[in-house]
Amino acid sequence: MEWWRRLFDSPLYFELYEPQDVARAREQVPQILSLLQLRPPARILDVPCGYGRHAVELAARGFAVTGVDISEVQLGRARQRAEQAGVAVTWVRQDVRDLALPPEFDAAITMFLSFGYFDTDEENLAMLAGIARALRPGGRFLLDYWNREYEIRTFDQYQVDRTGDVFEVEEWEFDHLRGRLNWTNHIFFPDGRRQSWFHSIRAYTVAEVVAMLDRAGFRLDGVYGGLDGQPYSLDSEAAVFVATRR
C-alpha cells in the first residue's frame, strides 16, 4: 500500500506544510552538522529528500549534496528551490528500496520520519542497506525517527491543529498486530472544501532499529532524544540514531 504517492504528489501538501517545514529545516541543519561532525565540502546524501528543504540549506553552507526521492513532483519543487537559492544540488529519482549510487558519500541523512513507510521489514531494511552501500567506509548516517515508546504512552486518537483559516484533524490508530501507527489528516477549508490523507508508518522500538542498522552494515554511535543531542529517554519526542558504516 504505497500511500505516500498520493500525499507527496499533491499540490496542497506544499501549500499547507512547506513554509513551516523550510523554517524548521534551517534550525535543524546546524544540529545535524554538529551530530555528524561535518564540515564543507563533505559529500552528503539526503534520502528521501522530498522538496529539498535540508538539501538546499546544506548546499548553501558549502556541502556537496545529492538528494534522492521517488516523487518527480517533489523533485521538481526541489529543483525550483535550489535555483531560487542559487545553489547546486544533484537530484536523483530512485526508489529508496533499490538505491544504486556509488560508495562516495561522507554522510547520509534520513529526516522527518521518512523511515518505516513500507509494508515489510525486508523493504525497510533494504532502504538502510542501500544507504550503507552509498557511504564510503567510515561514512556517517543520521536517522531522524520517532520515539515509539513516547508515541504509545501519549497516544491520543484525535489531534486538532490550525494553519490560518485551515483546520486539520488527525485521526490516529495503533495497529498492534503489525506494529504500525496509522493516521488520517482531515483538512477543512473555510470555503467548505474537505480533503483527507492517510499515513501508515512502522513503529519500531529503539532496539529494533539498532538491530536493523547492524544488519544493514552500520556500527551504532549513539541514540539521542532530539537533534540537539539531548540524551534519549522514554519521554523523548524523537529517537535520533547516529551510526557509522563499517
Side-chain angles (χ1 to χ4, degrees):
M1 179 179 56
E2 298 185 339
W3 55 267
W4 63 89
R5 292 186 185 273
R6 176 172 178 256
L7 170 60
F8 297 128
D9 284 353
S10 170
L12 188 59
Y13 178 86
F14 302 99
E15 178 184 341
L16 290 176
Y17 304 121
E18 184 173 10
Q20 63 193 37
D21 287 349
V22 169
R24 186 180 298 116
R26 293 194 183 104
E27 297 175 357
Q28 291 175 336
V29 163
Q31 298 173 321
I32 293 168
L33 297 177
S34 177
L35 283 176
L36 291 176
Q37 301 177 354
L38 292 176
R39 295 181 179 179
R43 296 161 297 183
I44 302 177
L45 175 65
D46 183 2
V47 56
C49 65
Y51 53 88
R53 56 196 180 279
H54 295 95
V56 169
E57 184 68 21
L58 287 164
R61 292 170 178 262
F63 293 91
V65 185
T66 295
V68 176
D69 206 280
I70 197 171
S71 170
E72 186 55 45
V73 174
Q74 294 277 328
L75 289 173
R77 180 62 183 134
R79 295 185 188 97
Q80 292 175 358
R81 296 200 65 253
E83 183 177 354
Q84 291 166 357
V87 299
V89 178
T90 300
W91 305 109
V92 178
R93 187 181 184 205
Q94 283 190 16
D95 189 319
V96 299
R97 291 166 290 189
D98 191 25
L99 288 175
L101 298 168
E104 63 184 13
F105 294 96
D106 300 301
I109 60 173
T110 295
M111 301 296 300
F112 196 59
L113 194 58
S114 296
F115 175 69
Y117 283 13
F118 305 118
D119 287 344
T120 68
D121 294 339
E122 289 74 18
E123 290 173 288
N124 291 319
L125 178 61
M127 173 180 170
L128 295 179
I131 293 171
R133 290 194 304 270
L135 291 170
R136 62 169 178 77
R140 308 194 76 199
F141 175 47
L142 185 149
L143 172 61
D144 176 28
Y145 194 55
W146 55 16
N147 179 7
R148 177 189 183 277
E149 275 44 66
Y150 175 84
E151 295 294 334
I152 299 302
R153 290 169 61 214
T154 62
F155 183 84
D156 189 352
Q157 185 178 1
Y158 296 101
Q159 301 178 27
V160 180
D161 195 11
R162 178 177 179 177
T163 303
D165 293 330
V166 178
F167 284 88
E168 184 172 358
V169 178
E170 296 182 3
E171 185 177 5
W172 288 74
E173 67 169 357
F174 178 56
D175 182 347
H176 62 281
L177 295 179
R178 301 181 65 220
R180 302 185 75 90
L181 279 163
N182 306 322
W183 73 101
T184 301
N185 291 44
H186 302 285
I187 313 297
F188 300 87
F189 298 91
D191 61 5
R193 288 180 299 139
R194 296 183 181 185
Q195 189 163 342
S196 296
W197 290 320
F198 177 75
H199 311 68
S200 179
I201 297 181
R202 181 72 159 85
Y204 290 112
T205 66
V206 166
E208 287 172 327
V209 174
V210 169
M212 293 178 76
L213 288 169
D214 180 70
R215 290 179 61 194
F218 288 103
R219 180 190 72 243
L220 182 71
D221 297 326
V223 183
Y224 304 93
L227 290 171
D228 58 1
Q230 63 181 280
Y232 170 83
S233 75
L234 293 178
D235 295 321
S236 300
E237 294 187 18
V240 177
F241 301 81
V242 177
T244 299
R245 180 189 171 183
R246 291 195 297 266

